[in-house]
Amino acid sequence: MLQDCDVLIIGAGPVGTALALELALHGVSFCIVDQAPARSDKSRALNLQPRTLELLNRHGAADEIIRRGRIVRGGATYIHGEVVASMSLDDLGITNTEFPLPLSVSQAVTESFLDECLARYGLAVQRPIKAIGIVQDDSGVTTTLEVSDGSIKTMRSLYVVGCDGAHSVVRHAAGLEFEGAAYPQDFVLCDAHLRDTRLDLDRLTMCLGSSGLLAILPLQGQLVRLIASRNHVPEGQEEPTLELFQNIFNNMTPPGSGTLHDPVWLSRFRLHHRCVDRYRNGRLFVAGDAAHIHSPAGGQDMNTGIQDAINLGWKLAAALNLLRFASSSDNSSSNNPAEFESAKSKARALSEALLNSYNVERRPVGLALLRGTDRLFTLMTSTHWLLASLRNISLRYALPWMASSLSRRRYLFSFISQLGISYHKRESVIVGTAPGWNGPVRGGDRLADGKIVASGQDKVETMLQRICMGREWHLVVFVGCEADEQRRTLLRTAIHRVVSASKWDLKTHYIVSGEWEVLGDSPSCWYADLDGALHVEFGFSKTPGYVLVRPDGYVGYIGPWESLDYLIRFVGL
């Protein structure tokens, strides 16, 4: 049933449903609607990158969806049927995440997984409901909706988020520019089964020739996705057929690559590269394809959209809480009315700054991916004979050079996996680094993961990211190797000052470097970093320090122990 709410989400693809999960986690009143009567069963977007798996793991065990897909372990590139480079992802030595490899999985499966996670909160998408009018004012947004029986309803919300794709109604209502263009090539797609093949079906295969590109992506079992670029399409051959794909496959793959059969989806499409001029206008926001459209190079687009949603979701929740405080009249907890009014004014200003930080943090990510994937995709899909020839010659040298270096492959993987995304160079109010801190991790970086052992007789092994889940902010104190009772008491007393000053709900964890015995009878919030790897990862191998973790799993503030006063100022209102 449609009811007025704090946040209305328009569009219930992976991005909209991920946003719904964030709002549900934080207890926000919301409604999510979609104009389609049911979800599509077509595969569409395929890849879930490691960073997206980490973030989705906060709502349900990510291993559930991993069992439904196929881990991608590398890739190979062929030019005129000859292999020129093969890259493995298994030997990169990525140890600071539970999910070191991408997952190939149908978007239909991803959406089903997200629906299951949302159902655990007792919530679901409402459909078919179409937004036909959106008007914002000083106090909220009025949205006009056409429901399944053709009747017209209106509802009020404080904010509206458009996750409604390339033709976004919300983007149009917000008056946002959507700059960019279409790629000149014609593209065709085929999901089909492949038999009698020598190709590795747990790897991405790229085939280049003088006539364009053929990409072969693994799905489940013998099912594969093929995408081919075309330049000049003869009249009468516009729509793809299995015969067309078999001809392309035979011409561009090496001998023994197999035979396609039993296609489940054939499609023709055009691709665009576009990005809005800003992600917010007043009470209206856009995310995912409503904000940016990328080429499929690197499998970035859906992942970027889901991470848009996660970035925005907790900020909407925090802003709403600040606004409720700012509109309250109960000053019973304050002995100074002037101070109370000042705090309310600061809360209003912070709520606006929080919401603005969505654009500050996420639009540069969208632009960087747009520029990077656009250049790569333009190069790889060119069908101009001269450009294609120069590309094929240069790649015969460039790709083996890239594949031969572990450091170069790791650098490339940090981009593709999205584990390397950071906000530390953004002008964001919720990112900070203690003055003078030059450690390997800065405010705005992703929270690196690693194994820790919980205190108690059972010595349960867990992961740092797993204890930093939920709606709270988390304060992780890296104690070092000295953890006697006197030191613990001093630490707890100091951290109490931080918690008391904080405008956020804080949950504190203490991590000791070294053998388990130093913990003794410590309470449940104490953990052991047995080999000291996490202390090294964050730069605290020689000095104690702290890491303030945001609800979206990014570092809000970091510094050595002696800079604790700066942290207190950062978390205060």
Side-chain angles (χ1 to χ4, degrees), residues 288-550:
D289 283 356
H292 47 80
I293 300 177
H294 307 265
S295 79
Q300 303 293 294
D301 202 11
M302 180 179 68
N303 292 271
T304 306
I306 290 173
Q307 292 176 46
D308 288 344
I310 291 169
N311 183 281
L312 177 59
W314 76 268
K315 292 175 180 177
L316 283 167
L320 287 164
N321 287 334
L322 287 165
L323 289 173
R324 289 189 182 96
F325 168 74
S327 62
S328 68
S329 57
D330 180 14
N331 64 352
S332 59
S333 61
S334 174
N335 297 321
N336 189 325
E339 285 185 0
F340 182 65
E341 290 303 316
S342 175
K344 289 168 61 175
S345 177
K346 290 179 180 178
R348 281 189 289 269
L350 180 57
S351 70
E352 274 300 294
L354 259 176
L355 296 179
N356 285 335
S357 74
Y358 169 58
N359 178 74
V360 169
E361 293 183 353
R362 291 305 300 173
R363 186 167 182 269
V365 173
L367 283 174
L369 289 173
L370 190 69
R371 291 165 183 156
T373 60
D374 177 56
R375 294 190 190 102
L376 176 63
F377 195 69
T378 299
L379 171 69
M380 298 298 281
T381 60
S382 176
T383 54
H384 187 280
W385 69 271
L386 179 58
L387 291 177
S389 296
L390 291 173
R391 174 201 65 202
N392 293 344
I393 292 171
S394 63
L395 288 180
R396 287 182 182 275
Y397 297 95
L399 289 178
W401 174 81
M402 172 67 73
S404 66
S405 168
L406 178 61
S407 62
R408 288 191 287 267
R409 285 189 287 126
R410 290 190 70 168
Y411 180 81
L412 177 64
F413 185 71
S414 72
F415 172 81
I416 293 174
S417 66
Q418 302 196 350
L419 295 172
I421 289 175
S422 175
Y423 308 132
H424 81 262
K425 293 184 179 179
R426 316 283 183 241
E427 296 295 326
S428 175
V429 296
I430 43 175
V431 167
T433 301
W437 174 249
N438 293 312
V441 176
R442 305 294 184 89
D445 288 348
R446 158 188 166 266
L447 179 72
D449 207 3
K451 293 180 181 179
I452 51 178
V453 176
S455 60
Q457 293 183 347
D458 294 336
K459 301 182 181 181
V460 176
E461 186 178 280
T462 185
M463 303 291 288
L464 178 59
Q465 286 188 7
R466 287 186 179 272
I467 68 170
C468 292
M469 293 180 177
R471 66 177 68 182
E472 304 95 347
W473 289 61
H474 295 262
L475 181 57
V476 181
V477 182
F478 286 88
V479 178
C481 58
E482 298 179 18
D484 56 67
E485 185 57 39
Q486 182 180 4
R487 184 175 180 83
R488 288 184 232 175
T489 301
L490 290 172
L491 288 171
R492 285 193 291 263
T493 301
I495 293 303
H496 180 71
R497 292 172 52 215
V498 180
V499 174
S500 299
S502 178
K503 57 184 170 288
W504 317 113
D505 290 334
L506 283 184
K507 191 172 182 179
T508 306
H509 314 276
Y510 301 87
I511 300 180
V512 175
S513 175
E515 290 302 320
W516 217 94
E517 284 72 15
V518 300
L519 286 178
D521 297 324
S522 300
S524 60
C525 58
W526 285 74
Y527 301 86
D529 173 19
L530 294 181
D531 59 2
L534 274 176
H535 281 70
V536 173
E537 181 85 38
F538 286 90
F540 298 125
S541 59
K542 296 181 179 179
T543 180
Y546 57 82
V547 178
L548 181 67
V549 184
R550 303 183 340 183

Side-chain angles (χ1 to χ4, degrees), residues 115 225-226 283 464 470 523:
D115 282 342
R225 155 77 55 84
L226 294 93
R283 296 178 177 274
L464 178 59

